[in-house]
Amino acid sequence: MSALGPRHASDAAASRPPRFDAVVVGSGPNGLTAAAVLARAGWRVLVLEAHHRIGGGTRTAALTLEGFAHDVCSAVHPLAVGSPALRSLGLERHGLRWVHPTTPLAHPLDGGRAVVLRRDLAATAAGLGRDGAAYGALVAPLAESWDGLAPAVLGPPLRWPRDPVGYVRFGARAFLPAGATARALFRDEPARALWAGIAAHGMLPLEAPVSNAPALVLAAAGHAVGWPLARGGSQAIADALAAEIRSRGGEIVTGQRVDDVDALPASRAVLLDLTPREALRVAGDRLPDGYRRRLRRYRYGPGAFKIDYALDAPVPWQADACRGAGTVHLGGSLDEIVAAERAVARGRAPERPFVLVVQPSLFDATRAPPGHHTLWAYCHVPHGSGVAMTDRVEEQLERFAPGFRSRVLARATTTAPELEAYNPNFVGGDINGGRLDLRQTFARPVLRRDPYATPDPRLFLCSAATPPGGGVHGMAGFHAALSVLRRHGRGA
């Protein structure tokens, strides 16, 4: 018999103690973090994953040629290395190693120039010329208070923060539009473009309120903790979390799709690392009508189009600064990035997309055969769009790295619908688990002081559709596990 047992195992086992205290459905970084926190609290935990491999957005696979290891979704991890949840789990003892590129981020401009974000904030500011003081005044207070600020910024918004002064300082800027912030604070194009590129990670139009928040968080993290890679690939994060769970007696079963929570083994709590749409599919009949209606109103954001490359040499960047950067933002000027993200929000695929590029093999030799390299790139597209953006992405690469196409040995492309087919949590290709606009900053997925708990006392949500949203940080799972422990008591 499988770990699931008979269809109505919860009823069949009602007369005997449950084998598990908690069942976690989904093995993304949030589901695994939730399971690890509960296992450390002495709970007997079972994790069920529909895919044949754990990891969700932290999987690594040979997508192009043998010997080339590509990150299937996430690739660079400022929020993981700076996450209070992941730090607390001590994953380094399970083999997780962070690789810090020479330069965390470069943003090339036309004419062979580039602006860079360095670990050292003063060096970054110096490179921004007359905008350096404004950049420092904006970012330094957040970077310097990262350890106190991160738990609040990466937690539920309706809780009193440990550092209220820092949180108010953050909030005063976070709710502004990123484009307006860049124009108001910076006088020259390099600083404006740098800020716009970081903000565009949020997949919001840069005229939108709260679009400034991703730039503040990611820039501060870049100086406080860096933008590192996981040695061997993002799968290493999932594998380390799994090792922690198993070291505490937890079990993980892959290839096990869940269609109905009533078919799960009896347990005190069920945690769903699922978006609202998937949560309704597996547990909708356990939830009251009003709560179900609010989950159905949850909105998903733009999709992504992704390309993974096997290269026979490094990318021939015009700007030398890009050759030592782990992440490269291709979008040109502030106005170009604003136009690209506005087009996506209006349902059009941009002619000149904003492209996020990561160069893992420059700093991690495990990713490709000797003398060869991998490249990770994606751009934003309208929700659910099946348009193939290969030519437009490569035009941006050729713009800043002439001769790039001559280095390509193989490429693997993934459209937004293919992302959703690969992982149903990526609804419409939305890799952020739902639109993170002003409304869904607070109502994620619904407006509740404890957004992880549901009206069913046994059922909890722990996906990126709960605070703080998308990204590899495990904080949604961490807070969901704490919610379980508050409701059911810490003891197993």
Side-chain angles (χ1 to χ4, degrees):
M1 183 182 295
S2 76
L4 286 177
R7 174 172 171 75
H8 291 287
S10 58
D11 297 331
S15 62
R16 63 182 184 274
R19 179 181 172 192
F20 300 103
D21 296 301
V23 177
V24 179
V25 179
S27 72
N30 285 310
L32 292 174
T33 300
V37 171
L38 291 173
R40 285 166 68 95
W43 283 46
R44 295 161 296 178
V45 178
L46 170 67
V47 179
L48 298 175
E49 169 57 50
H51 198 269
H52 71 278
R53 295 181 72 191
I54 63 168
T58 53
R59 294 189 185 118
T60 303
L63 301 178
T64 56
L65 303 174
E66 184 178 353
F68 290 81
H70 302 277
D71 288 326
V72 177
C73 185
S74 61
V76 63
H77 299 292
L79 297 184
V81 73
S83 164
L86 298 187
R87 284 181 171 184
S88 73
L89 295 173
L91 300 180
E92 289 75 10
R93 70 176 178 273
H94 298 298
L96 180 61
R97 298 290 180 269
W98 296 112
V99 178
H100 286 272
T102 308
T103 301
L105 168 66
H107 185 123
L109 300 165
D110 291 322
R113 302 172 297 150
V115 58
V116 298
L117 184 151
R118 304 185 189 279
R119 283 289 302 274
D120 185 278
L121 194 147
T124 301
L128 296 176
R130 61 179 183 169
D131 287 322
Y135 179 88
L138 178 63
V139 178
L142 306 178
E144 291 167 0
S145 61
W146 178 263
D147 287 343
L149 187 62
V153 171
L154 299 178
L158 301 181
R159 303 265 178 91
W160 187 255
R162 289 190 302 176
D163 178 11
V165 174
Y167 192 61
V168 169
R169 184 187 295 121
F170 168 78
R173 296 288 193 184
F175 290 99
L176 298 175
T181 298
R183 291 189 178 94
L185 292 183
F186 306 130
R187 291 176 285 179
D188 295 328
E189 191 55 51
R192 289 180 170 186
L194 177 68
W195 196 253
I198 302 172
H201 280 250
M203 300 176 75
L204 286 174
L206 301 193
E207 303 97 334
V210 103
S211 59
N212 214 37
L216 289 168
V217 173
L218 293 174
H223 299 301
V225 296
W227 283 25
L229 312 158
R231 178 174 171 78
S234 296
Q235 185 74 46
I237 302 172
D239 290 346
L241 283 164
E244 174 64 14
I245 293 165
R246 292 182 173 118
S247 75
R248 305 281 176 169
E251 298 182 30
I252 300 173
V253 178
T254 59
Q256 186 68 73
R257 175 182 166 91
V258 174
D259 293 309
D260 186 345
V261 295
D262 286 335
L264 297 175
S267 65
R268 302 165 69 190
V270 173
L271 295 88
L272 302 178
D273 187 5
L274 305 174
T275 64
R277 189 186 71 177
E278 287 295 289
L280 285 167
R281 180 182 66 82
V282 303
D285 60 357
R286 298 181 64 96
L287 300 168
D289 290 344
Y291 187 80
R292 288 205 305 267
R293 283 195 297 271
R294 287 191 286 170
L295 288 185
R296 291 191 188 102
R297 289 198 293 266
Y298 187 77
R299 292 165 300 123
Y300 298 93
F305 175 84
K306 181 168 178 282
I307 311 179
D308 292 284
Y309 292 98
L311 306 177
D312 65 3
V315 178
W317 300 109
Q318 277 187 316
D320 288 341
C322 296
R323 298 177 184 179
T327 301
V328 182
H329 287 167
L330 305 183
S333 68
L334 164 66
D335 287 344
E336 287 181 86
I337 298 170
V338 168
E341 297 305 290
R342 181 191 299 135
V344 171
R346 294 180 177 178
R348 294 184 288 107
E351 290 300 319
R352 274 192 164 183
F354 171 69
V355 183
L356 295 96
V357 175
V358 178
Q359 310 182 97
S361 56
L362 290 181
F363 313 98
D364 180 3
T366 70
R367 305 294 188 98
H372 295 74
H373 290 275
T374 61
L375 195 74
W376 176 103
Y378 85 92
C379 68
H380 303 149
V381 296
H383 179 86
S385 171
V387 63
M389 298 287 287
T390 304
D391 288 344
R392 298 181 211 187
V393 167
E394 292 187 358
E395 285 167 8
Q396 290 285 61
L397 281 159
E398 286 283 344
R399 174 184 174 186
F400 298 107
F404 166 77
R405 284 191 177 99
S406 68
R407 306 284 173 92
V408 176
L409 296 173
R411 61 175 62 78
T413 64
T414 311
T415 64
E418 288 168 342
L419 279 170
E420 180 177 341
Y422 169 76
N423 185 339
N425 275 350
F426 300 156
V427 178
D430 178 3
I431 57 176
N432 273 342
R435 188 176 176 86
L436 192 56
D437 57 11
L438 183 59
R439 172 180 147 192
Q440 288 189 174
T441 295
F442 295 97
R444 192 169 188 89
V446 301
L447 186 63
R448 291 169 66 95
R449 189 172 188 279
D450 184 349
Y452 314 97
T454 75
D456 184 322
R458 183 173 169 247
L459 199 60
F460 297 79
L461 303 176
C462 67
S463 73
T466 61
V472 177
H473 41 63
M475 291 297 289
F478 176 80
H479 286 292
L482 296 185
S483 178
V484 171
L485 295 173
R486 284 193 300 270
R487 179 175 286 188
H488 291 284
R490 303 191 69 86

